[in-house]
């Protein structure tokens, strides 16, 4: 997955594209490149590394004038991250130049054919094959660029968001999408192209999100013409008014996006339930649930599909749905689910959870479930994302843009939405009483303030981070609702500090991980008062007798764990089902501080990307 940006209009394209690429770096940062049309020719520069490296290079070696251009920030799939494999890519004649996010699966057979016809290739990429295929079609069929792109894409198997232009027709950029996102910003006599709206948000609030299998010819002074790639039919595109503002996507005074997003959780959680829940009146209302209540109530089971942190939120929801609404739940890695011929019927409700709404495996799982007749409900953060559009109904998390690659506020807001859904269904099914229903809502309403209190442990968590930052391994333990939190805590640490960490159900420790424990092993144990407290205390005793270092996440005022543990971090008390919203906070902070102390790139950890649009 990669980030793509393009501009055509009356302004200088370079600064717009450069800034846009910086905003899209969360999508990948192995290499970057920009191609500009300067009025007579294409000027292109690209390099392995980050957008800052590209900027240095361009400003050393290339004039930056021109009001048409495209840019790319890459997360490598085909071909190692090096200068040659970076985008944009030229066609053999040098007339066409392209940027691409996605994978052309049949690129090898296409490449063989093109080599037979005399084409040569500099890079190992599938993208260079595509631009030459377009060139070949354009020459053979003697057609315009738009038509050539269309014919070429009909020969392609795979996923793409592309932008391509021809130096002999410098008044248009042709774009297309299948499986990877592509938005077109509509300004006054100017157009912006990007993987999401963040590169153009300060220029226009109007955007067209291309649908899968659509392409568009974007013409200077003329506008945007959208067509179906397969059958050439014209599409009347929906111009959406964007809600996002620039401050939301900038760091707001924090050193890192991750820290900003951790601290945004009180307001993000509030935004998630705001307007959906009225505890005093005993009401939870979410359109996607109300409109499909029968389907939910008649469902045999709920299957949750997701990846990464979203999968952990799904695991928490298994406890909530089963506990409150008494609906059987299965939680599946989307990547496994899609390939194992799962038993799905029209009596199943599938809930797909995804921050970005673009994760390829989750999208594929949704398509599979739909093809087998299941009703699919999406829980996404990014409005208008592919998953939001592909699902039958859904509920947004309203967390605001999450830029740090390690997911934080997306996780807690996903749990919040899933809690609201479970509560609403529980009430409709009568599996909880109206007083329990109200009690849950009142407790949920208090969570933003309690998250704020949990954040007050930051300085102390930093002290603990300093003590354990050089450990080679960490173990995270939790039970019940807090078992998925242990998994999430371990994932956070792995992702950004590169320290090996494992999450485990506390009681399973004795079946393996206990063998790892010695005086060098820090063990984070979630031991809040609600939920198997005494059992977890016994687990802590077992660790202590093997000299492990215990960091307890406990309820305010706890004494029993304090007496046993090396350190305790307190979180406010709440009902059991809501404890994950609080116990997660110190774990996020712990991984943040350790990574920072180790000098790691917190917002852009190596090898990872924010939205994984490849399988
Ligand atoms: C990537 C991100 C993770 C995220 C996962 C699923 O691996 O780095 O933070 O949890 O994808 O992404 P989604 O957007 O579907 O929640």
């Amino acid at each position: 997955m990669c980030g793509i940006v393009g501009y055509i209009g009356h302004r200088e394209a370079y600064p717009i594209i450069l800034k846009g690429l910086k905003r899209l770096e969360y999508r990948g940062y192995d290499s970057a490149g920009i191609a500009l049309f300067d009025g007579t020719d294409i000027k292109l520069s690209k390099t392995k590394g980050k957008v800052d490296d590209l900027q240095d290079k361009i400003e050393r070696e290339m004039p930056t004038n021109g009001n048409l251009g495209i840019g790319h920030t890459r997360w490598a799939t085909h071909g190692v991250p090096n200068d040659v494999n970076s985008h944009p890519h030229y066609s053999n004649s040098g007339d066409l130049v392209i940027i691409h996010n996605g994978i052309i699966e049949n690129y090898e057979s296409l490449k063989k054919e093109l080599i037979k016809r005399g084409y040569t290739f500099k890079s190992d990429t599938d993208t260079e094959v595509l631009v030459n295929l377009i060139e070949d079609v354009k020459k053979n069929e003697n057609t315009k660029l738009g038509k050539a792109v269309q014919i070429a894409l009909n020969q392609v198997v795979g996923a793409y968001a592309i932008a391509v232009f021809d130096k002999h027709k410098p008044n248009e950029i042709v774009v297309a999408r299948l499986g990877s996102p592509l938005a077109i910003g509509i300004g006054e006599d100017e157009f912006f192209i990007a993987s999401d709206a963040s590169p153009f948000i300060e220029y226009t609030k109007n955007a067209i999100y291309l649908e899968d299998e659509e392409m568009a010819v974007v013409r200077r002074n003329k506008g945007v013409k959208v067509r179906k790639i397969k059958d050439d039919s014209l599409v009347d595109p929906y111009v959406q008014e964007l809600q996002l503002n620039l401050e939301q996507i900038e760091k707001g005074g924090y050193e890192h996006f991750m820290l900003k997003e951790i601290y945004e959780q009180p307001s993000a959680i509030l935004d998630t339930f705001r307007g959906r829940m009225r505890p005093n009146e005993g009401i939870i209302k979410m359109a996607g649930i109300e409109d499909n209540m029968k389907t939910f109530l008649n469902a045999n089971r709920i299957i949750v599909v997701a990846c990464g942190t979203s999968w952990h939120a799904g695991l928490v929801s298994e406890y909530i749905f089963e506990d409150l609404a008494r609906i059987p739940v299965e939680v599946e890695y989307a990547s496994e689910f899609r390939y194992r011929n799962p038993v799905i019927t029209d009596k199943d409700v599938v809930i797909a959870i995804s921050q970005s709404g673009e994760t390829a495996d989750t999208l594929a799982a949704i398509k599979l479930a739909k093809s087998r007749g299941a009703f699919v409900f999406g829980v996404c953060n990014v409005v208008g994302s592919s998953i939001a559009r592909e699902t039958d109904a859904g509920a947004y998390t309203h967390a605001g843009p999450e830029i740090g690659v390690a997911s934080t506020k997306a996780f807690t807001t996903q749990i919040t939405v899933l809690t609201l859904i479970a509560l609403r269904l529980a009430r409709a099914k009568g599996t909880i009483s109206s007083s329990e229903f109200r009690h849950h809502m009142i407790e949920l309403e208090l969570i933003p303030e309690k998250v704020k209190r949990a954040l007050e442990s930051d300085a102390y968590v930093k002290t603990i981070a300093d003590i354990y930052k050089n450990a080679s391994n960490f173990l995270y333990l939790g039970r019940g609702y807090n078992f998925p939190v242990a998994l999430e805590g371990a994932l956070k640490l792995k992702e950004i500090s590169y320290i090996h960490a494992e999450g485990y159900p506390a009681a399973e420790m004795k079946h393996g991980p206990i063998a790892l424990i010695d005086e060098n092993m820090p063990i984070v144990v979630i031991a809040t008062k609600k939920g198997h407290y005494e059992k977890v205390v016994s687990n802590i005793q077992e660790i202590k007798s093997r000299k492990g270092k215990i960091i307890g996440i406990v309820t305010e005022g706890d004494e029993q764990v304090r007496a046993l543990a090396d350190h305790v971090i307190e979180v406010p008390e709440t009902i059991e089902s809501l404890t994950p919203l609080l116990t997660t906070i110190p774990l996020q902070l712990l991984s943040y501080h350790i990574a920072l102390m180790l000098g790691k790139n917190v917002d852009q950890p190596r090898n990872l990307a924010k939205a994984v649009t490849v399988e």
Side-chain angles (χ1 to χ4, degrees), residues 64 67 84 138 247 260 270 280 317 365 376 395 398 447 451 465 500 524-525 574 596:
T64 58
N67 42 34
V84 178
K138 192 168 173 291
E247 297 83 88
K260 173 180 175 246
L270 179 64
N280 294 339
S317 82
V376 185
H398 298 314
I447 287 293
V451 172
H500 172 250
V524 180
V525 189
T574 183
L596 200 61

Side-chain angles (χ1 to χ4, degrees), residues 307-310 353-359 362 387 402 405-407 414 491-492 495 608-612:
C307 301
T309 290
S310 297
I353 309 172
S354 174
Q355 187 287 129
S356 62
E358 301 294 345
T359 302
T362 309
I387 292 177
E402 193 182 64
V405 166
S407 190
Q414 285 164 346
L491 178 66
K492 285 290 86 85
E495 280 178 311
L608 300 176
K610 186 73 186 154
V612 181

Side-chain angles (χ1 to χ4, degrees), residues 106 110 130 133-134 137 146-158 160 162 176 178 213-215 228-233:
N106 59 339
L110 294 170
L130 179 58
L133 179 65
I134 296 169
V137 172
K147 193 74 198 163
V149 168
Q150 186 183 20
I151 295 170
L153 290 179
N154 275 312
Q155 296 175 35
V156 154
V157 178
Y160 49 78
I162 58 162
L178 175 61
E213 301 189 331
E214 282 180 1
M215 59 176 289
K228 292 265 178 221
I229 295 168
K230 273 208 180 119
D231 64 11
D232 197 40
S233 55

Side-chain angles (χ1 to χ4, degrees), residues 6 10 38 59 115 136 180 211 232 263 316 335 413 480 498 522 574 589:
H10 44 80
D38 69 1
E59 292 172 8
I115 289 173
D136 192 53
S180 303
E211 297 287 341
D232 197 40
Y263 272 85
V316 175
S335 53
T413 54
Y498 320 144
T574 183
L589 291 169

Side-chain angles (χ1 to χ4, degrees), residues 4 23 53 110 124 126 135 139 141 178 187 225 233 253 273 317 329 349 386 404 421 464 474 485 493 505 562 571:
I4 65 172
R23 289 190 192 150
D53 301 314
L110 294 170
D124 308 316
D126 48 347
E135 175 153 295
K139 270 193 211 147
E141 311 271 330
L178 175 61
K225 207 163 240 180
S233 55
F273 65 65
S317 82
V329 176
V349 165
S386 303
I421 298 171
I464 298 175
F474 268 74
V485 176
L493 190 70
R562 185 177 289 274
V571 295

